[in-house]
Amino acid sequence: MSDIASPAPMRRLQLDPVTIFGLAVLAVLVATAVLAPWISPYGPTDINPAARLQPPSGEHWLGTDRIGRDVLTRALHGGRISLTVGFLVGIAVLCVGVVLGLLAGSVRWLDGLIMRVIDGIMAMPAVLVGVAMVVMWGGGLWALLIAIGIPSLPDTVRLTRSLALSIRTEPYVEAARMGGTRLPMLLWRHFIPNALAPLIVIGTYVGANAIVAESLLSFLGVGMPPEMPSWGNMIAEGRLAFQIAPWGVFVPALFLTATVLAVNLVGDGLRDSTDPLRLKSD
Amino acid sequence: MISFLLRRALATVPVIAIVMLAVFLVVHLGGSDPARIIAGDSAGAAEVETLREALGLNRPLPIQFLDWAGNTLRGDLGSSLFYGTPVVDMISVRIGPTIALAIGTLLFAVVLGVPMGTFAAVTAGRWPDKLLMGVASIGFSLPIFIVAYTLVYWLALVPGWFPVQGFTPPQTDFGQFLRGMTLPIITLGAFYMSLFARVSRAAVLDMLKEDFVRTARAKGATPLRVLTAHALRCAAVPIITIIGSSFAGLLGGVVVTETLFNIPGLGRLVTEAILKRDFPIIQGVILVTALIYIFVNMVVDMIYALLDPRIRQ
Amino acid sequence: MPKRNFFAAALAVAFLAGTALAGPVFAQENVLKFVPSSDLPTLDPSQTTAKITGNMGFLVFDTLFAMDSNLVPHPQMVDSYTVSDDGLVYTFVLRDGLAWHDGTPVTAEDCVASLERFFAKDGMGGTLKASTESLVAVDDKTFVLTLNAPYGLVLDVLAKVDQPIPFMYPKSLIGDDPNIPFTVPLGSGPYSYNAEESKPGIQLVFDRNEAYVPRSEPQDMLSGGKVAGTDRIVWTFIADRQTAANALMAGEVDFVEGPPADMLPILRADNNLEVAARDPRGELIVLRFNSLNPPFDNAKARQAFAMVVDQQSYLQAAVAPGEGKECRSIYTCDSPYSTDIGTELIGSGDVEAARKLVEESGYGGEPIVLLQPTDLPTVNNFALIAAQELRSIGFNVELAASDWASIIQRRAKTEPQTEGGWNMFITTASGGLLDTPISNLPGKTNCEAAWAGWPCDDEAEAIKARFALTSDPAERREIADEFQQRVYELMTFVPGGQYQLFDAWNVNVDNVVIGAASPLYGVTKVAQ
């Protein structure tokens, strides 16, 4: 597929300095997350109740939390979780969304059903349903990822569907159909090159959104298992001692802000340097 | 025209049905047991079982769903398992603060965000544009807790300019109502302001490129006149669309702000109900929020149709 | 832009409709603004063991007998009572002037119905019921309790300070089925429940009951005259504890129950605030095993963990340095039966011996499930410490994190951990659930009827039965020692230390009761 999937927009990709800055920040975050065990002498879950809520010092550069864990260590490890959540949810939403969108755009009787379900998803308050799903279904990583992913589906499905519908009516596509080429093949050949750039842009926003959603759900006490050092968990725990140990909140929040900002900047840059009208038309 | 309105209204029926089924399944499929939570920490199995029976929770699920759906169609959302109060009454008490917060946030975000975006578009590429969009990008990415904690500490707790928590109904004391809502609105509004600024900038930029705007310029209209009379008017449609869908999103998105500022709204009601497994409240609030979204979007579509005959086909 | 105007108008209408229900404000009234530690699971005290519903009950309801600060029962609603020489027949006469909040008089019929409801719902009430021959109203003010065997604790049970408390309800309120909760508390206590202004989950409003006739004796904890200290008490529920503490510091509320432990240094430093523990009995950290399933069905595995429990770690995670104390008694320390008997193993710190015990218990390395509540920050930390200690002696620990309500549900499952069950959970228990062999919850060993964990031991149950039969203090003391010895041989749980739960209030609030029960009705507030 590689010859088809490297479409024209990518070749004339010209990134402005802001986008490059965003990419650089992301690269640093990924690097520190991957290298976290070698950067810090502490483990992310090593507790030490005797050394709780210590301010930043030579021993603990960014202080300790309510049970004596090293805040910097946890923040670095948190990057692994948040970036993984963002990446996984982004990819999963794109895959599921494209499949649903193509089905809706090519199978007439499924179209109505899928689009009504998408309308239903849009109508349901995402945070509240997310909290309900995670709690009622006994928590766990998968319930969380599903709860974060489902509300992000509509954009991808709608974009895919409208592209599929417009490709169907292109004269050369209709001609090829008359000639006996099957629709899925046609979509594969013509849809992917057209849709790749806007889908990647949507994917970056979905990923950024997933990272924020994870922190919101963790803040409400229903996010990642609390032993995992996600930034949302750190903020949720840190707020209990916010006024005597603000580093417990500000450090993970800084990492979170930097990540979301960087992903959004990269998304904006990609959008502006590919075809802006295509995304906005939907 | 009337047939369009009817078709549009009828189109909401399957969506509502899907939402009802989804809400019910989310709540019931997990196998949660509210009876055990009501009975308390040291209750025995027998006490829990009798309570379960008294609450009607041991009936088959399809029966419970049909029962709930039937009552809902008659406007009865059931009663809270914990409080015994009708859910409709609880929602009517809680919806006011949530809507006040949502409207206040939208006003704040529109009044600041749309001019920001417009000004950025007019100065596109120059330093005001970069500055404003930089601010918007940060506002878009800041976690809501940080905004809230910072505001509470530096504007409420230390100087005492604003209350740190609570909600005063406007008809009780309007001044106190405004003071109490200021910090929650800024907390929640920072994100939406950034969102509207970005959308407005993009919309106005697009319009400034259009032929009729160039024509007006060529004819000698002042830049301000071009902006207000032509560009802004056309850019209004995407801006209003995003405002409309933001309002619906806000109804479900206020929960963290309500928790941080102790505002007795719908978001807090439902998260607390979730932690206690108070099924009727969870179902009722999520359903009502979804209905408001569906209704608002229907009305928006109808207004567009009234204004633009092309949409009616 | 007409569209925006439309939105604004439509929403403004909805908004006004929504808030029109709020009531008027009485600025002149002396109002105590109280923030309880959590929402109430139910407004019917007979339906729950939750202490917070009991605290509400002290305002609205009254009891036949009431404990003073030394836990001696005194008549409260009862005017006089007699006991027959054989100790089997108790005759109670109600005092004059008792009336429900709707104005109707309190009758002996009401009291009999209330006691029957209590017998059906409470463990101690159940043991009293088992000794009861009959309970009948003789006339409007007199009722007679006839026992079939001597029972030493009749008055103590009627004056119980821990939930479920035998409050008196009007017969018309409670109906015949003890399992159906009422939703509007209507009692005869010093405050009446204001149903119009109370909003579930937001606030509860209690107004001074002008018709209440207090006893003439001075208040001593729950006994003596119940004199309403303010015109009105408003309970405001603030879910975020940090926000609640902020509200107290900003003077927006008067009294916060259980502010976050990490905030205590800041609250103490505030000259406008007072910080104290209302219940000095304190909370015992209870590390509870599931004695039904492997590996903790083997006493050796339980004892091994007890050896490596470091109470200091738990205390450091719960409270500021120096606040908590180590305590190894099942009855909580400072309570009458507190003792060190049988506690040698707990916290001995011998890791090697503990590892050996684990081996002997036949534990084969399968994952064990430790329940971790995410919405209780202190217990959440306890779980992390316990996990580390378990791992240090070779257990393969899986932390199952969820909200507390989920834990209560999961805890009820007797299946092995691989089928949705569990092996260990942690909670805290206050004096009333611990302080005697009868009330001691984690010491119950009556198999499936016992508290979650279901230990099974006839010997311990037999010791407990002897305790109920005697009223001789020395003999009780001896039996209590024997009971603790047996419980720690079984090691049905391990104590993780004892600490106090603090409350904080504004200095303009006065007459706060410090004791096993801390009713709010006598609390006064200097108007500002």
Side-chain angles (χ1 to χ4, degrees), chain A residues 227, chain C residues 296 363 365-371 383-384 386-392 394-400 424:
Chain A
E227 212 183 15
Chain C
F296 293 127
Y363 172 69
E366 67 274 14
I368 61 166
V369 171
L370 170 61
L371 304 179
L384 294 174
Q388 198 172 48
E389 289 172 346
L390 284 164
R391 283 167 186 152
S392 76
F395 283 108
N396 176 7
V397 183
E398 191 181 295
L399 282 165
M424 222 179 132

Side-chain angles (χ1 to χ4, degrees), chain B residues 33-113:
Chain B
D33 185 1
R36 176 153 291 281
I37 297 149
I38 298 175
D41 203 4
S42 49
E47 291 145 53
V48 176
E49 185 52 41
T50 46
L51 196 56
R52 204 175 289 144
E53 202 170 318
L55 296 170
L57 291 168
N58 50 1
R59 296 171 300 161
L61 271 192
I63 306 258
Q64 289 193 46
F65 176 69
L66 289 179
D67 197 37
W68 175 68
N71 286 334
T72 300
L73 292 181
R74 267 177 267 130
D76 174 12
L77 291 172
S79 293
S80 157
L81 296 179
F82 283 79
Y83 304 118
T85 325
V87 173
V88 174
D89 293 358
M90 298 189 79
I91 291 179
S92 68
V93 170
R94 304 283 198 130
I95 202 166
T98 294
I99 289 186
L101 182 55
I103 292 181
T105 301
L106 281 189
L107 284 178
F108 171 84
V110 168
V111 166
L112 288 179

